[in-house]
């Protein structure tokens, strides 16, 4: 076991081949400025580095006081600390401002060591210093840059979050903390990264593997209750931090960080939404008119088809009775003419029916669809005195479908719920809407506090032209047949919860977009 050398141990002996001349040569050629002074700080010796740094020759400084290097702006407290340590026999190390021969100042990293008197001789001091001006300048520049960056980040209107390789936020700014309060989530960065994964799918994982930045990807976050939706342009980039430990000097020790920047673009998106909503209202008005015509004509055809079928059966029966005289039988001819006229009328009605709109298919966010429906039904909800409890999932996978048809679906469901509660004397009027992603499905709940649907009618309400209430016009008041048709076209499921009491609960579910779902499962 190693032991420390006692303080009283003798100094190591200088090898015989090292002469005083060699010592002197080594000191004189040292890259560190070296000076020796007496107890009064009078310079007795300086080496070449001392002369190179200060600009003085040895002849100019030997015999003069060390104070000739002092610069006026060096605080007296520095010199007091220096001499206090030397008086107590302790070395002193620190920085002070020195002056060159030409008057220019420089930062000196100085160590002064008291030399004990030898053989009753005088006390001396050994001074060693080097020019630390460049190091000081670089350190100050780094500090200034750091403070500047911190100041900019603090007052920047964009939210900034820095995440380490464990996903922990190690640095953020006030704008980021405001987002946490607005979204009511513990860590918005995690919600944003999850949304980017679900929105971009394989593109996100490719960017992650290649450390390729994602720039200005727009995300929408819906708030529960009556809170407004928020839009953010999100950018994600990666960088490496090299280790500052000595053992990493020749190594490749590093840490990975993710830099997330979120720019709130809600104001501009709301303007776009207002314009889009106005255009959508116009399209819906035209669509509702066409839908009303289709329903009216379908109803007329349905009502006319029955008598025509009876006439057709009677004509066939009379023809068989008349036998070979059917062509001259007055009743048979009358029935045949009536059948022809009826079929012609049905054909005319079918030709007059407006065509079904084209249904473009693409990824649809049901949060956006439901938000549109609530905005379109605002007047109806307010006039009926209905409160809305809107609880969207912060991050919702898209579904594949036609946004106009899906909007029509949920408008039908919400409209039916409004009609169910908007009756004289009905006090509890509340509408609950929620979205969630479960087991590869995107689910929507529509719950009202109306009288509900009797058990005996829970299948019949899905039949065409059946209604439990008077229609208020358009696509409303015609039961759930239209809604069921749209759900079927989107490979979804629409069901009435038989266990719910105190109103009606409808559940609608659709398969989540396969590409997004596959990416989420691969990441999970």
């Amino acid at each position: 076991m190693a032991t420390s050398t006692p303080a009283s141990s003798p100094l190591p002996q200088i090898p015989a081949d090292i002469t005083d001349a060699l010592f002197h040569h080594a000191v004189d050629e040292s890259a560190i400025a070296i000076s020796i002074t007496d107890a009064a700080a009078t310079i007795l010796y300086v080496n070449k580095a001392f002369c190179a740094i200060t600009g003085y020759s040895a002849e100019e400084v030997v015999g003069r006081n060390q104070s000739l290097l002092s610069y006026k702006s060096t605080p007296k407290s520095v010199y007091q600390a220096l001499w206090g340590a030397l008086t107590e026999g302790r070395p002193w190390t620190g920085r002070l401002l020195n002056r060159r021969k030409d008057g220019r100042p420089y930062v000196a990293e100085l160590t002064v060591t008291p030399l004990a008197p030898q053989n009753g001789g005088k006390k001396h001091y050994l001074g060693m210093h080097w020019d630390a001006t460049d190091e000081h300048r670089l350190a100050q520049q780094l500090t200034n840059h750091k403070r500047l960056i911190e100041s900019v980040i603090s007052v920047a209107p964009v939210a900034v979050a820095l995440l380490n390789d464990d996903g922990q936020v190690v640095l953020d700014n006030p704008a980021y903390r405001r987002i946490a309060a607005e979204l009511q989530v513990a860590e918005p960065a995690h919600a944003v990264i999850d949304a980017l994964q679900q929105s971009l799918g394989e593109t996100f994982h490719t960017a992650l593997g290649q450390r390729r930045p994602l720039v200005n990807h727009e995300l929408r976050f819906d708030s529960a209750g009556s809170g407004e939706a928020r839009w953010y342009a999100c950018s994600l980039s990666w960088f490496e931090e090299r280790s500052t430990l000595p053992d990493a000097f020749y190594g490749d020790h590093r840490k990975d960080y993710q830099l997330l920047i979120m720019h709130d673009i809600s104001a501009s998106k709301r303007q776009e939404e207002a314009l889009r909503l106005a255009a959508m209202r116009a399209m819906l008005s035209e669509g509702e008119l066409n839908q009303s015509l289709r329903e009216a004509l379908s109803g007329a055809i349905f009502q006319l088809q029955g008598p025509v079928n009876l006439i057709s059966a009677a004509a066939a029966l009379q023809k068989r009775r008349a036998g070979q005289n059917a062509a001259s039988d007055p009743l048979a001819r009358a029935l045949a003419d009536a059948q022809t006229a009826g079929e012609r009328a049905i054909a005319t009605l079918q030709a007059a029916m407006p065509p079904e709109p084209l249904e473009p298919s693409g990824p649809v966010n049901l949060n956006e669809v439901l938000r549109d429906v609530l905005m379109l039904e605002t007047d109806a909800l307010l006039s009926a005195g209905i409160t809305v409890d809107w609880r969207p999932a912060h991050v919702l996978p898209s579904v594949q479908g036609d946004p106009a048809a899906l909007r029509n679906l949920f408008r039908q469901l919400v409209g039916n719920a409004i009609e169910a509660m908007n009756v004289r004397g009905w006090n509890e009027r509340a509408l609950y809407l929620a979205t969630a992603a479960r087991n590869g499905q995107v689910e929507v709940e529509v719950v009202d506090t109306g009288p509900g649907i009797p058990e005996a009618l829970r299948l019949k309400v899905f039949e065409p032209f059946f209604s439990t209430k008077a229609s208020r016009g358009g696509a409303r008041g015609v039961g759930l047949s239209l809604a069921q048709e749209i759900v079927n076209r989107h490979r979804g499921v629409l069901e009435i919860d038989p266990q719910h009491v105190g109103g009606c609960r409808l559940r609608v579910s659709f398969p989540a977009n396969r590409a997004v779902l596959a990416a989420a499962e691969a990441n999970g």
Side-chain angles (χ1 to χ4, degrees), residues 192-194 196-210 212 214 236 238 258 523:
V192 169
I193 292 176
D194 289 343
L196 287 172
Q197 289 176 343
Q198 295 193 21
S199 175
L200 298 176
E202 189 60 33
T203 301
F204 178 86
H205 297 288
T206 301
L208 179 64
Q210 299 178 356
R212 191 173 67 242
L214 301 172
L236 189 64
W238 289 263
Q258 291 178 326
N523 185 58

Side-chain angles (χ1 to χ4, degrees), residues 258-341:
Q258 291 178 326
L259 179 64
L260 174 65
I261 298 177
M262 302 171 61
H263 183 208
D264 192 336
I265 55 173
S266 300
S268 61
K269 294 298 289 186
R270 287 195 189 99
Q271 292 179 355
E272 293 179 13
E273 286 289 293
L275 295 174
R276 187 180 65 85
L277 189 62
M280 185 171 59
R281 287 184 189 276
M283 292 176 60
L284 286 174
S285 297
E286 182 180 355
E288 286 180 353
L289 176 60
N290 290 335
Q291 180 66 27
S292 298
L293 288 174
R294 282 192 293 272
E295 289 177 1
L297 292 172
S298 296
I301 293 171
F302 180 78
Q303 296 295 328
L304 189 57
Q305 191 69 58
V308 171
N309 290 340
L310 291 175
I311 293 173
S312 177
L317 179 61
Q318 182 62 28
K319 187 176 181 179
R320 285 196 299 272
R321 286 179 178 178
Q324 295 179 355
N325 298 323
S328 60
D329 182 63
L331 181 57
R333 291 175 61 185
L335 290 173
D337 290 343
Q339 178 185 352
T340 302

